Structures are given as C-alpha cells and as structure tokens.
Amino acid sequence: MNEIVYSKTYTEYKRELDAELSKSAESFVRIGYLLKVARDTDILAESGYKNMAEFANAEYGLSSTYVSRFIRINDKFSEGGYSDHLLPEYQGYGYAKLTLMLQLPDAINEGLSPAYSKSEIQAIKDEVEAE
C-alpha cells in the first residue's frame, strides 16, 4: 500500500475539516427546507409520489427518522424556522452537534459555542436529561 503524504499542519488540517463540517450543517438546514417545501406545497404533484416521505425514501433512501431530523434542524436552526439559511449564531457547529442540540433547551444552546466538542455537548445533554 502506498504511504499517504499530507503536507499540512494539524492546525491547517483542523481548520479545513471544520470548514467542511460547517458547510454540511448549512446543507442539512437547506435539505430540511427543501423537504418542507415538498411537504407543504404541490411541487410533487407531477412526480407520482403520494407525499414527501414517499418521495424522500424512494428517491434518496431517506428513512422517516432522517427526514424528521432534517426538518427539525430546519425548524430550530434556520432563519425564521422556515428558510434555507442557517442562523448566524449556529454557524460552525456541524451536523452532529446540531443534532444533539435539537434535544437541548434554547437557553442552554445559547450558552454553547462551536468550540465545544461533540462529546462535551453530549455530556451537557446527558446532564440535562438526568435532571
């Protein structure tokens, strides 16, 4: 097997990965928005699908769990709760952190920052659930 050569520093690597994960969070907000559009408009009328859930599963293999998660992320973290733009205060979190934050009260989310790791947010979530 060939040895992989990667010439960036850890800081450069981490910055690059953080940027991609931030973009993924924005994508998840947009996916949630587009699923809501399919649910709430007649955009699927000519598709032959009965509803958005059937469409999402048949076309993209999205289970109802994933569809629900995308929509909930959009509800909670998009501008106005129904847009394709992530709220500025949630930029930089990434999908995994936002998924955990769905289950936290807004007051706690407001005290978090993107610097928190997924495991730190999980610990906060576990503490909240224990109370």
Side-chain angles (χ1 to χ4, degrees):
M1 182 183 279
N2 293 338
E3 183 179 333
I4 297 172
V5 177
Y6 191 78
S7 61
K8 294 182 181 178
T9 66
Y10 169 76
T11 302
E12 292 168 328
Y13 163 80
K14 179 92 167 65
R15 187 176 17 247
E16 188 176 345
L17 185 55
D18 287 348
E20 291 305 314
L21 290 171
S22 291
K23 285 191 263 183
S24 76
E26 292 172 25
S27 293
F28 285 109
V29 165
R30 182 149 172 78
I31 291 166
Y33 169 75
L34 292 168
L35 290 169
K36 288 163 86 171
V37 166
R39 178 193 69 192
D40 299 341
T41 69
D42 64 354
I43 194 72
L44 297 177
E46 64 189 63
S47 72
Y49 295 109
K50 292 180 204 153
N51 56 45
M52 176 271 299
E54 181 183 309
F55 162 77
N57 186 267
E59 293 291 328
Y60 304 103
L62 295 175
S63 69
S64 59
T65 300
Y66 279 102
V67 167
S68 174
R69 193 170 296 146
F70 285 128
I71 288 173
R72 287 186 9 239
I73 284 174
N74 185 274
D75 289 343
K76 189 160 186 165
F77 301 116
S78 72
E79 293 177 355
Y82 202 120
S83 103
D84 62 350
H85 292 29
L86 183 65
L87 285 164
E89 58 265 33
Y90 296 109
Q91 298 282 334
Y93 280 92
Y95 172 72
K97 292 177 188 178
L98 290 180
T99 299
L100 288 170
M101 292 166 64
L102 278 173
Q103 301 164 55
L104 293 172
D106 290 340
I108 291 176
N109 284 338
E110 290 169 7
L112 299 176
S113 78
Y116 280 80
S117 70
K118 180 184 172 200
S119 59
E120 289 171 324
I121 295 173
Q122 179 68 54
I124 292 167
K125 178 184 161 291
D126 293 344
E127 190 177 311
V128 167
E129 288 175 352
E131 289 179 4

